[in-house]
Amino acid sequence: MTTTQRVHWDLTYDVHLGATWGRFMAGLTEQQILANSCPECSRTFVPPQAYCESCFVRTDEWIELPAEGVVEAFTVAWQGFRGGPTPPYAIAGIRLDGASTLLMHYVGGLDLDDPSAVREQIGPGTRVRAVWAQERTGQILDITHFEKI
Amino acid sequence: MATRAVIGGAGITPATSPRKQTSSSLELIQEAVWGALQHSGAAPDSLDGIVIGNIDGFEGTVLGAKHLVRRLGLGTELPVSILNTGGTTGGNLVQVAARQVRAGDRRRVLVIGGPTFFGAQDLQSAINTNSPMIVEQPLGMGAYHMGAFYPSAYTERFGATVEDYAVSAVQDHEHASRNPYAHLRNTMTVDEVVGAKPLSYPLTMAMVCPVSTSANALLVCAEGTTSDLRPTPVLIKAFATSSDPYLGGGKNDFAAMENLAILAQKVYQLADVRDPREEIDVVEVFSPYAPMQPMQLEALGFAPPGGGIDLIRSGATRIDGDVPVNLSGGPLCTNAGVAGELAPLVYVALQLMGDAPEAMQVPGARRGLAHGTGGTFFQFENLAILERT
């Protein structure tokens, strides 16, 4: 007895970025990583956000952060998923210099063949720098990945 | 004084893989619902509300919960509340039901958690749609990757090894082997967990939850209205939730479960718990990735920072220890979506009623802790203290 039947969804969406992320994406096309900060707690957000989630006030000042920072958390994926990148690949939470939040991104240029050797390559504390795409269209992958400095 | 909410019955279905499951979602939910009614002794016409949840997109429909309730055989007049908060849906079902009862709006609410991981052909890609769009989703971050970020930072601070992260998996499997409702009931050694297929550093396949199918139901009642029910009522003494920022990168520290620690302080204060290790008899935490469990136990005050793995190694969290943890085997051995999120509350309630399956019952358990968490980086936490009345 068959107890399953297959259903398929094929839908395309437009996500409306709004002013704050729109400005962030525009910055990426100019090879700039734009952040903004809270007037009360002075924390600096990247990606930027319109409100501070701690102080419940509008953010105001915009600043450009250096495209360099430190890995605080990471993983290397050895198994992929449908629609995802081809494994293995490394992803990390990166504290850009001057940022109060982590920016998630790929870390490239690593030898990922040996699982026991990845930690020494991109363990927390590793300094990394953004590598820019040749063609930039205003998306997070305008930075193709970060690489070790 | 406001009405207090109690749990008056529970229903569970045995779990299995989607491949082996021959019942439909509706049939599993019906089994859990009628199981809860039978366990409680409540007549169907004594219900005055249903709280049910689903996770958009996971089941190939966004109508998952709505189209089910009329087909449960409980009549057509019951008001229905539908929740959709991703990985915290299961916990929030009970929170909402308890609030409806405490507000005096309802007296007997049936809480239903269905098998929402049932259908997706590639659940990882479905879960990835819940990852923040635009800035994190394009980076190959799905679900198990998120469970891997924590141990990478925890290792840096406390020096834990991959073998250390395996201990909670070994214990969860040992506990699940005693639970007739669990999906994975095999026991495992540390070497087997460490030697399993590498998934996402430092996680191996054995440190990550399975995709299960099962359903759970709980009956939430106004205190003092349960004289027609068979089980010893279990008081929902305290229930609260807490959130980190939506983006994973908004978390402050991956080496500690800071958000859970803040929530625990609040809930312990509400429940008048001063020394959790001394005062709590049974614990179910939501740790679908093995390294999360020791960190959660630290945030909940059962061990100091960096001490969670030693706590598990000491035997204190086993069935014969002073603070048994995840006697159900936890989500590492059974995870059926919303049903899995509801499971910690179901199992703790059964323990406190004295109605848990015999092989996993903690004798005389009086006070229990049930935890849930969701979000692609576990930004969202819920926590309850339950007490035998």
Side-chain angles (χ1 to χ4, degrees), chain B residues 59-99:
Chain B
E59 300 168 87
T61 171
V62 291
L63 301 172
K66 296 182 196 85
H67 74 82
L68 290 171
V69 287
R70 286 290 285 265
R71 297 192 276 164
L72 292 173
L74 297 172
T76 57
E77 302 298 322
L78 278 176
V80 177
S81 308
I82 294 164
L83 301 187
N84 193 333
T85 64
T88 54
T89 304
N92 280 330
L93 297 173
V94 176
Q95 183 190 206
V96 167
R99 285 181 190 278

Side-chain angles (χ1 to χ4, degrees), chain B residues 2-81:
Chain B
T3 308
R4 302 199 295 180
V6 299
I7 297 170
I12 311 182
T13 74
T16 185
S17 67
R19 193 171 49 81
K20 289 185 182 159
Q21 184 59 261
T22 54
S23 296
S24 68
S25 282
L26 177 64
E27 287 163 348
L28 286 170
I29 287 172
Q30 285 168 333
E31 188 181 336
V33 163
W34 290 95
L37 291 175
Q38 189 174 33
H39 174 241
S40 69
D45 64 3
S46 70
L47 300 173
D48 61 3
I50 289 179
V51 182
I52 188 168
N54 56 277
I55 307 178
D56 280 350
F58 279 29
E59 300 168 87
T61 171
V62 291
L63 301 172
K66 296 182 196 85
H67 74 82
L68 290 171
V69 287
R70 286 290 285 265
R71 297 192 276 164
L72 292 173
L74 297 172
T76 57
E77 302 298 322
L78 278 176
V80 177
S81 308

Side-chain angles (χ1 to χ4, degrees), chain A residues 6 75-76 78-79 82 89 102, chain B residues 122 140 144 199-201 249:
Chain A
R6 189 161 293 178
T75 190
V76 174
W78 279 288
Q79 306 297 328
R82 197 171 298 167
Y89 57 91
L102 303 178
Chain B
D122 179 351
Y144 53 74
L199 202 54
S200 193
Y201 176 89

Side-chain angles (χ1 to χ4, degrees), chain B residues 66-149:
Chain B
K66 296 182 196 85
H67 74 82
L68 290 171
V69 287
R70 286 290 285 265
R71 297 192 276 164
L72 292 173
L74 297 172
T76 57
E77 302 298 322
L78 278 176
V80 177
S81 308
I82 294 164
L83 301 187
N84 193 333
T85 64
T88 54
T89 304
N92 280 330
L93 297 173
V94 176
Q95 183 190 206
V96 167
R99 285 181 190 278
Q100 290 176 342
V101 165
R102 288 202 294 258
D105 193 41
R106 308 264 160 85
R107 289 157 63 89
R108 188 167 288 181
V109 181
L110 189 63
V111 167
I112 302 169
T116 46
F117 288 171
F118 204 161
Q121 281 266 308
D122 179 351
L123 185 63
Q124 284 299 325
S125 56
I127 292 176
N128 194 39
T129 64
N130 281 19
S131 180
M133 292 186 293
I134 311 301
V135 296
E136 293 184 357
Q137 208 176 101
L139 303 173
M141 297 180 160
Y144 53 74
H145 316 103
M146 315 302 197
F149 269 50

Side-chain angles (χ1 to χ4, degrees), chain A residues 72-136:
Chain A
E72 285 205 8
F74 79 99
T75 190
V76 174
W78 279 288
Q79 306 297 328
F81 55 88
R82 197 171 298 167
T86 304
Y89 57 91
I91 40 183
I94 297 160
R95 182 88 62 181
L96 294 180
D97 295 342
S100 307
T101 58
L102 303 178
L103 184 71
M104 301 298 183
H105 222 297
Y106 293 113
V107 178
L110 307 170
D111 178 2
L112 302 177
D113 288 341
D114 177 6
S116 66
V118 296
R119 186 169 190 88
E120 61 200 46
Q121 295 182 69
I122 58 159
T126 305
R127 279 198 71 78
V128 292
R129 162 196 307 133
V131 176
W132 296 96
Q134 290 290 324
E135 303 252 325
R136 292 177 303 280

Side-chain angles (χ1 to χ4, degrees), chain B:
Chain B
M1 191 177 154
T3 308
R4 302 199 295 180
V6 299
I7 297 170
I12 311 182
T13 74
T16 185
S17 67
R19 193 171 49 81
K20 289 185 182 159
Q21 184 59 261
T22 54
S23 296
S24 68
S25 282
L26 177 64
E27 287 163 348
L28 286 170
I29 287 172
Q30 285 168 333
E31 188 181 336
V33 163
W34 290 95
L37 291 175
Q38 189 174 33
H39 174 241
S40 69
D45 64 3
S46 70
L47 300 173
D48 61 3
I50 289 179
V51 182
I52 188 168
N54 56 277
I55 307 178
D56 280 350
F58 279 29
E59 300 168 87
T61 171
V62 291
L63 301 172
K66 296 182 196 85
H67 74 82
L68 290 171
V69 287
R70 286 290 285 265
R71 297 192 276 164
L72 292 173
L74 297 172
T76 57
E77 302 298 322
L78 278 176
V80 177
S81 308
I82 294 164
L83 301 187
N84 193 333
T85 64
T88 54
T89 304
N92 280 330
L93 297 173
V94 176
Q95 183 190 206
V96 167
R99 285 181 190 278
Q100 290 176 342
V101 165
R102 288 202 294 258
D105 193 41
R106 308 264 160 85
R107 289 157 63 89
R108 188 167 288 181
V109 181
L110 189 63
V111 167
I112 302 169
T116 46
F117 288 171
F118 204 161
Q121 281 266 308
D122 179 351
L123 185 63
Q124 284 299 325
S125 56
I127 292 176
N128 194 39
T129 64
N130 281 19
S131 180
M133 292 186 293
I134 311 301
V135 296
E136 293 184 357
Q137 208 176 101
L139 303 173
M141 297 180 160
Y144 53 74
H145 316 103
M146 315 302 197
F149 269 50
Y150 286 95
S152 78
Y154 189 86
T155 290
E156 181 71 10
R157 187 167 305 164
F158 299 111
T161 63
V162 178
E163 286 74 16
D164 290 332
Y165 294 127
V167 299
S168 75
V170 170
Q171 184 180 266
D172 277 346
H173 275 266
E174 189 182 307
H175 289 167
S177 73
R178 297 162 167 268
N179 177 6
Y181 299 109
H183 174 186
L184 302 181
R185 300 189 62 199
N186 59 312
T187 56
M188 294 194 85
T189 64
V190 166
D191 287 346
E192 286 168 341
V193 173
V194 171
K197 186 160 106 174
L199 202 54
S200 193
Y201 176 89
L203 302 179
T204 66
M205 195 71 100
M207 297 182 194
V208 175
C209 63
V211 177
S212 314
T213 62
S214 65
N216 291 319
L218 268 185
L219 193 61
V220 176
C221 312
E223 191 178 31
T225 67
T226 57
S227 57
D228 58 324
L229 304 187
R230 194 195 55 76
T232 304
V234 167
L235 176 67
I236 302 173
K237 176 92 171 174
F239 201 129
T241 66
S242 183
S243 298
D244 263 341
Y246 170 59
L247 293 183
K251 286 193 83 73
N252 187 49
D253 185 358
F254 275 96
M257 302 270 182
E258 290 183 307
N259 187 29
L260 180 58
I262 292 166
L263 177 62
Q265 279 197 348
K266 179 177 168 184
V267 169
Y268 289 160
Q269 196 169 23
L270 287 170
D272 197 26
V273 170
R274 314 215 171 162
D275 180 348
R277 176 131 184 215
E278 187 65 33
E279 297 172 40
I280 293 171
D281 303 318
V282 60
V283 171
E284 290 279 337
V285 291
F286 199 81
S287 46
Y289 308 113
M292 295 170 71
Q293 192 177 111
M295 298 180 68
Q296 290 164 338
L297 295 175
E298 293 168 20
L300 293 168
F302 296 111
I309 290 161
D310 286 345
L311 178 73
I312 298 168
R313 281 222 166 94
S314 76
T317 54
R318 294 162 53 102
I319 188 164
D320 54 354
D322 66 89
V323 55
V325 173
N326 285 14
L327 294 178
S328 67
L332 195 79
C333 296
T334 313
N335 193 356
V338 173
E341 301 155 13
L342 180 57
L345 288 144
V346 169
Y347 281 111
V348 170
L350 286 173
Q351 286 282 356
L352 302 180
M353 290 169 176
D355 290 344
E358 198 179 339
M360 56 185 283
Q361 176 70 51
V362 176
R366 210 183 71 74
R367 184 182 284 135
L369 178 151
H371 163 256
T373 184
T376 44
F377 277 101
F378 302 103
Q379 298 97 316
F380 313 111
E381 307 272 5
N382 60 67
L383 187 61
I385 300 291
L386 308 182
E387 270 181 21
R388 184 185 176 91
T389 54

